[in-house]
Structure formats: structure tokens, C-alpha cells
Amino acid sequence: QVQLVESGGGLVQAGGSLRLSCAASGRTSSGYATAWFRQAPGKEREFVVGISASGTSTYYEDSVKGRFTISRDSAKNIVYLQMNSLKPEDTAVYYCAIRGSYFHSRDVAAYQFWGQGTQVTVSA
């Protein structure tokens, strides 16, 4: 089993920044790709960004390109999501997820392990 714990969410004004962390523990290995998803009230969970197991490949949804940056500290088993220039439409619960594959996927069903989520609220 793998446990994921997100942290770093909060309330920020539009244009501000937050950094989310996703710490993995348990039977982790270097073969896990990681992604961040988000879910706003009344909406489906959506893919935001993914990073390959090695950290050399990333994929961003168009809505966050140029504003969000994902990175991985493999030694610490932590994946970060730096979010800059935040907008009210970024408000959601953010989840990290990992899958037993080298490459990330945009499909929710492709991920086996999920964190509990962290709330991000961006005020206008």
C-alpha cells in the first residue's frame, strides 16, 4: 500500500501563489508516475498536471500552462505543485495521485492511490 498526504492549500487572493506538496510513504518505488487533479464544487475531478516517474516528462493542462509547475524530489518521495498567478477559477480541492506506471495519464481511473485532498480557495 501507498499513502499520500497533500499539504499547502489555503486561501489566497487572485494573482497570489501557493505551493502544494504530496508526500508518499509505504511501498513506494521509482516506478510511480504522479499527477495532480482538482475538483470544484458540482464538477467532475479533472486532470491538472502530471509528471513521469523519473521527473523528466511533464504534461500540463492548457488552463494552467505557464502558471503552474510540477516537480519531484525523488529522494524525499515528495512531488510539489507551485501555483502562481492564481485565479478564482482555480478554486477547488486538489488531489495528488500515483499510478504504477512510468508515465502519467489524464484519466482518473488510471491512478491507484489518492491523497485526501487539500482545499485551494482563490478570492477575486
Side-chain angles (χ1 to χ4, degrees):
Q1 280 291 345
V2 176
Q3 294 80 41
L4 301 176
V5 178
E6 301 101 332
S7 61
L11 172 64
V12 65
Q13 289 187 331
S17 299
L18 286 172
R19 188 177 79 157
L20 306 184
S21 299
C22 173
S25 61
R27 299 181 65 179
T28 58
S29 72
S30 60
Y32 286 99
T34 306
W36 286 94
F37 289 78
R38 65 187 181 187
Q39 188 167 19
K43 295 187 177 181
E44 293 187 352
R45 193 168 298 188
E46 64 175 6
F47 174 86
V48 176
V49 57
I51 187 167
S52 62
S54 68
T56 58
S57 174
T58 58
Y59 182 87
Y60 296 86
E61 281 297 280
D62 287 345
S63 60
V64 305
K65 278 182 182 177
R67 300 188 298 121
F68 290 12
T69 303
I70 191 171
S71 60
R72 174 189 295 277
D73 184 335
S74 296
K76 297 181 179 179
N77 276 338
I78 298 177
V79 171
Y80 300 100
L81 181 62
Q82 178 66 43
M83 305 186 296
N84 299 328
S85 301
L86 283 162
K87 304 176 181 180
E89 50 264 43
D90 294 318
T91 295
V93 177
Y94 283 70
Y95 299 89
C96 70
I98 64 174
R99 63 191 297 251
S101 175
Y102 184 86
F103 287 107
H104 43 75
S105 168
R106 298 175 69 244
D107 186 359
V108 170
Y111 292 82
Q112 292 82 38
F113 302 101
W114 292 81
Q116 82 289 351
T118 185
Q119 177 71 46
V120 171
T121 303
V122 184
S123 62

